[in-house]
Amino acid sequence: MNKDANIRLQDNVVLEHYGLNELHLESVRHYREQFAKVKPNHPWNGLETKDFLYKIGAWGKIRDTNKEGLTLAGLLMFSEERMITEVLPQYFLEYREYGDDELHWSNRFTSQDGTWSGNIYDFYFKVMHEVNDVSQVEKDAVHEALMNAIVHADYSGDGGIIVERQRSCIQMSNPGLFGIPLEQANSGGVSYLRNPNMFKMFIYIQFCKRAGVGLKTMETIYSQQFAVEQYDFQKRTVVTLPIVSFPERHDYINEIEALSDWMGDAPLSDSINKENNSYNNDQNSVNNEFESVNKDPNSLNIEINPVNKVLDSINKKDSSVNKDDNSVNISFNSVNKLGEEEERNIDQELWSIAEIARKKKRLAPAKMEEVILQLCAHRPLMLKELAYLLDRTPDGLRNNYLGKLLAEGKMRLKYPDQLNHPKQAYITNKQYS
């Protein structure tokens, strides 16, 4: 295809000559694991590969010819560099990291080096792995910027997506300009997606939460210390994120929660199913699927008791155990989010079991699962109680651990027939206690 034809390609176009053989199956397998982790009871988990890809928009059908094939979004997400460049010759991805001299890179990989698939999905994880040493808040900002670059890139444009890490900043550039004025993009609430099908795939695994607030979120994180530039001549967008110190993560979370309220959306801790600007309003959205996870009575997305909604803070109690130096109020994530009743119920033995998770923010997943099972073997624990004990966010626990443990039969819900029960809690099954 020539470049003029590429410019007209939408990411939902069906490539009838590109089938399952053009997929990097390890990428598809990993994506399905992520999907099952956040949607353990979703009916799509039981589908064959082609049917699953059709549901998420990676496979398409040409109605008037009965021909089928990968969509452009499916090719970009799950194929390999060799096949992708047959359709999009300008396609290119690169990560480079500079040492102290800031002249020569100390680490670099590209979509063309042949050591990995070279597709968009794997590129995301490789980049995030390289920035794993920055603070969690900065990592969240990198995620936001990388998602914006991926879903807004013009993959027929020159230069590709470049992620460049220096000592003082991380810079991302992608081909293509914003489809709306930069001032409007900075204000939030409106988004022009060059690759809506790809965006929807990331929504399904909860990597994207909403459309239209990406730049506003980064501005909130960095207090306007980041930069967004557009170069009309090169048709490129460049986002620069400073690497700075964030002493307390909960301050950032509060700012983002306030941003969500300002936008008229639900808090970030809520399900993506409530986002006003989300692709959930699209007729092909997961929320409108007849068998959508949002309508599944076993869905975990119905959780209505986010930890940050509790008004009676332990910290306000004069007689609280928070006066002790080793007390729970050292945990910034949750002490002020439990009521007096919950305070009485959380005993010292549970606190001791969860100590390793509070001390190690990067605990191995297998060890975290073991700790959760030990805690819930003692007695049923609500999500906010687990978040408090482990010093983790409720969404992180639910998406990364609890859904998986429920799906594996290692845990069960206290009220399986009443998912919205105000005292819903998690219990370890006897054989795993």
Side-chain angles (χ1 to χ4, degrees):
M1 299 181 180
N2 61 44
K3 186 175 180 181
D4 289 339
N6 286 337
I7 292 175
R8 293 194 297 271
L9 284 181
Q10 302 297 313
D11 75 339
N12 65 345
V13 68
V14 179
L15 308 170
E16 59 183 86
H17 300 298
Y18 290 81
L20 298 181
N21 290 337
E22 278 67 53
L23 291 171
H24 184 70
L25 295 179
E26 183 64 20
S27 302
V28 176
R29 181 195 64 77
H30 189 273
Y31 180 91
R32 295 199 69 167
E33 287 180 354
Q34 293 294 315
F35 186 95
K37 186 183 295 184
V38 300
K39 296 174 167 49
N41 301 302
H42 200 288
W44 294 356
N45 288 323
L47 296 177
E48 295 294 329
T49 299
K50 187 166 76 171
D51 293 331
F52 178 83
L53 293 173
Y54 178 76
K55 290 291 189 181
I56 67 171
W59 187 267
K61 301 175 183 178
I62 303 175
R63 300 297 179 184
D64 56 350
T65 65
N66 293 322
K67 292 182 178 180
E68 303 179 358
L70 290 174
T71 62
L72 186 62
L75 187 80
L76 287 164
M77 283 282 282
F78 303 125
S79 189
E80 296 185 358
E81 190 268 347
R82 179 68 181 86
M83 273 69 76
I84 296 172
T85 53
E86 288 178 359
V87 179
L88 297 167
Q90 308 301 319
Y91 174 83
F92 181 69
L93 308 173
E94 180 180 11
Y95 172 88
R96 53 183 181 241
E97 185 172 330
Y98 290 89
D100 293 338
D101 61 4
E102 297 188 356
L103 294 176
H104 303 94
W105 55 68
S106 57
N107 182 22
R108 179 178 184 254
F109 61 82
T110 77
S111 54
Q112 298 176 345
D113 61 34
T115 61
W116 58 293
S117 68
N119 63 43
I120 291 294
Y121 182 73
D122 291 347
F123 181 66
Y124 168 83
F125 284 96
K126 285 180 71 66
V127 170
M128 295 306 295
H129 175 75
E130 295 298 335
V131 300
N132 202 44
D133 58 331
V134 302
S135 72
Q136 183 60 50
V137 174
E138 289 170 318
K139 196 183 302 181
D140 291 343
V142 172
H143 161 84
E144 191 72 42
L146 186 54
M147 282 288 104
N148 271 276
I150 286 172
V151 301
H152 290 295
D154 176 5
Y155 290 99
S156 64
D158 294 325
I161 297 178
I162 309 297
V163 180
E164 185 174 276
R165 179 175 179 177
Q166 299 179 0
R167 292 185 63 187
S168 60
C169 68
I170 297 176
Q171 189 174 82
M172 299 188 193
S173 62
N174 62 268
L177 304 175
F178 280 91
I180 57 176
L182 187 56
E183 296 77 11
Q184 192 173 2
N186 278 319
S187 298
V190 178
S191 181
Y192 171 84
L193 293 170
R194 187 172 277 109
N195 302 286
N197 222 31
M198 192 182 300
F199 176 73
K200 199 157 55 173
M201 290 183 205
F202 281 113
I203 280 185
Y204 289 147
I205 56 174
Q206 296 185 2
F207 279 28
C208 296
K209 289 182 177 291
R210 67 196 70 222
V213 298
L215 295 183
K216 192 71 179 177
T217 298
M218 285 180 276
E219 178 184 338
T220 300
I221 293 173
Y222 284 108
S223 300
Q224 299 181 339
Q225 294 175 15
F226 79 106
V228 180
E229 300 170 284
Q230 297 197 86
Y231 298 92
D232 292 334
F233 177 73
Q234 296 177 313
K235 302 296 183 186
R236 291 188 67 80
T237 298
V238 180
V239 175
T240 302
L241 306 174
I243 297 179
V244 295
S245 174
F246 290 89
E248 294 188 344
R249 174 171 167 76
H250 70 293
D251 286 344
Y252 150 69
I253 292 295
N254 291 337
E255 290 292 329
I256 300 300
E257 294 278 353
L259 170 63
S260 298
D261 294 338
W262 174 78
M263 290 302 301
D265 290 335
L268 288 184
S269 57
D270 285 359
S271 165
I272 59 170
N273 309 326
K274 298 176 182 178
E275 301 303 331
N276 294 331
N277 296 318
S278 165
Y279 257 72
N280 304 333
N281 293 325
D282 183 352
Q283 63 179 354
N284 295 319
S285 165
V286 62
N287 290 336
N288 288 326
E289 289 291 336
F290 177 71
E291 295 180 318
S292 166
V293 64
N294 306 320
K295 299 178 181 178
D296 189 327
N298 294 320
S299 168
L300 293 180
N301 276 352
I302 309 176
E303 180 71 45
I304 61 170
N305 288 313
V307 66
N308 60 358
K309 296 290 186 179
V310 179
L311 297 178
D312 294 329
S313 166
I314 296 178
N315 294 332
K316 295 178 182 177
K317 308 298 179 185
D318 292 336
S319 59
S320 170
V321 295
N322 299 339
K323 301 294 179 64
D324 190 297
D325 287 341
N326 296 318
S327 168
V328 294
N329 72 353
I330 294 175
S331 169
F332 63 77
N333 242 351
S334 48
V335 178
N336 61 349
K337 296 169 184 174
L338 289 178
E340 188 173 7
E341 181 181 352
E342 287 87 350
E343 176 191 350
R344 291 195 299 267
N345 290 336
I346 302 253
D347 56 39
Q348 187 60 43
E349 187 172 1
L350 293 177
W351 186 250
S352 298
I353 292 172
E355 183 177 8
I356 186 173
R358 293 192 303 276
K359 287 185 175 180
K360 294 186 177 182
K361 295 306 178 186
R362 296 179 181 176
L363 196 63
K367 183 61 179 177
M368 177 65 88
E369 291 178 8
E370 178 186 331
V371 172
I372 292 172
L373 290 173
Q374 287 182 30
L375 291 171
C376 295
H378 269 64
R379 65 174 177 82
L381 289 172
M382 298 171 66
L383 179 61
K384 59 186 177 183
E385 293 176 316
L386 284 169
Y388 159 61
L389 286 165
L390 298 165
D391 197 8
R392 297 295 194 274
T393 63
D395 276 353
L397 288 176
R398 181 168 46 207
N399 295 337
N400 297 326
Y401 302 104
L402 297 176
K404 179 175 180 288
L405 292 171
L406 286 171
E408 293 175 347
K410 295 180 180 179
M411 301 186 74
R412 58 186 173 86
L413 294 174
K414 185 177 181 180
Y415 304 100
D417 298 324
Q418 303 177 57
L419 296 183
N420 291 343
H421 196 286
K423 296 293 183 181
Q424 186 63 273
Y426 296 86
I427 307 171
T428 301
N429 284 332
K430 290 183 178 180
Q431 62 266 38
Y432 297 101
S433 61

